Amino acid sequence: MERLVALCKRRGFIFQCSEIYGGINGFWDYGPLGVELKNNLRDAWWDVMVRNPPPGPDGQPVDIVGLDCSIISHPRVWEASGHVGGFADPMQTCRQCKKLFRADHVAESLAESEWVAALLELCEPGAVPNTWIPRRGELERWAKTRGRKLAPGLAIVREPGLVAGIAEDEHDAPALLTIVSSPGPTISEVRPPCPVCGGDLTEPRQFNLMFETFVGAVRDDEAKAYLRPETAQGMFYNFKNVLDSTRVKVPFGICQVGRSFRNEVTPRNYIFRSREFEQMELEFFVHPSEADTWYQYWRQARYDWWCGLGLAGRNLRLRDHDQDELAHYAKDSGGCCDVEYAFPFSGEKGFTELEGIAYRSNYDLTQHQRVSGVKLEYFDAERNERYLPHVIEPAAGLTRGVLAVLCEAYTVDETRPSPELMRFHPRLAPVKAGVFPLVNKEGMPEVAERIYQDLRRRVGPCQYDAKQSIGKRYARMDEAGTPFCVTVDGQTLTDQTVTVRDRDTGSQVRVASDQVVGWVAGRVRGDDGIG
Ligand code: GAP
């Protein structure tokens, strides 16, 4: 991750937001290459979801329309959706260092904690796997020396005399951590300690993740509004508007791409969990009797789409939720699954969520109908039936998708003169081609400039580079993930061909200079179903 993050900054993919002021946790800016990559991913999604969706389960065309809703909406939207009452994470604070933690992330953070690793080194492994026997003498010495630096909040560091009360028995890790962090000889509180300093954590408290703001000049409760925490609700409160203004019929979908905001307790892992991020969501409205068929359809279609972007293989999987993971709206319905990616920080589980596909029943339309008092029922002329449609929701993270694409593309090949390269799918690559005159004279720049202008017009962003050695120019393009480099050389002037170098293999072919634009365009467009 560290090398990827460094490359992303060096080459202008992602910058820390307001970096010259020290940055702000959970907010990121997309640089010149990053914004192209993000837009390409967004466009690939929009093309395959709205403009040209694959045929439905019965082979018939699928109807999906787009929306672009406000980030701030009527606050009652969020009452109806359940976000005001329930969109919260359990949060714990360390009484010593004052750091905040999501209660459900503490165990994971302890597993990665430096002081926990150091503490376990002071113990003998027990006979039972994953148990440890503390060596009291060493523990006390550590508490008075290295422990003061690594875990100043830990009870046995604050009071090394407590070590005397610790039994030299076999303990598993949670028990051992409880013992070394319990404030007195009697273990009254069985809460894990702070992963950063070893201090005492408070009871978990619910913390609502919505960002609040005020609309208008007066800052009182009446004027309170929220930045949307998901794009989904715009599709529900506009359901009737879409029905009344278009000719769509159930089954049909509404899509939206846009920013969402969550005041995450612990934004982390680069852009993976941010406080401002972008989502790409589809709400697909169906007759209840067809919900399962459409759920299965979208489950597969969404997985296949990510595969088509080059994420296929051992880094991508589809995982059905266990019963106890299901969201409130999905409890009594057909289920939820996630498309998961093996991010480098995914830890023991190995995979983390990239997109969720949920069967939301008719929970949201029911709620908005009840809270707004406006009838949202659909009249199905074919069935002669009036009902609130059920919903299948594939909800993907655009910015999280960018991170998956970056991770998948990042390659180190020590056999190359410049070992780091980004193997983006040509459709996603921020720069489609580099164009170079081999030398900046002898008529080569004129030919190269003409090809460059044509490529920009017909294919997309390209870069013209006439400086430095050809090897250095290739290396710069490899780091930017540019799939093709077109070089005009001495031979061009005699036989009107140019070389085209492939980023991944480094191999070169000669292509007629008047056909090279079409050659690159065909490969960038591809025909692989990603949109
Ligand atoms: N409407 C349903 C919904 O919003 P979600 O699982 O909370 O479901 C959908 O979010 C997707 O949005 C996630 O799979 C993830 O890719 C992305 N996402 C959610 N929270 C995020 C965050 N804090 N930072 C970046 N991406 C996030």
Side-chain angles (χ1 to χ4, degrees), residues 230 232 262 264 271-274 277 279 281 353-356 360 393 395-397 400:
E230 61 173 19
R262 297 183 188 177
E264 299 282 359
I271 57 171
F272 177 82
R273 185 177 301 109
S274 327
F277 55 98
Q279 291 183 303
E281 296 196 283
E353 178 184 340
L354 182 57
E355 170 164 356
R360 297 178 73 107
E393 179 196 66
R400 194 173 285 185

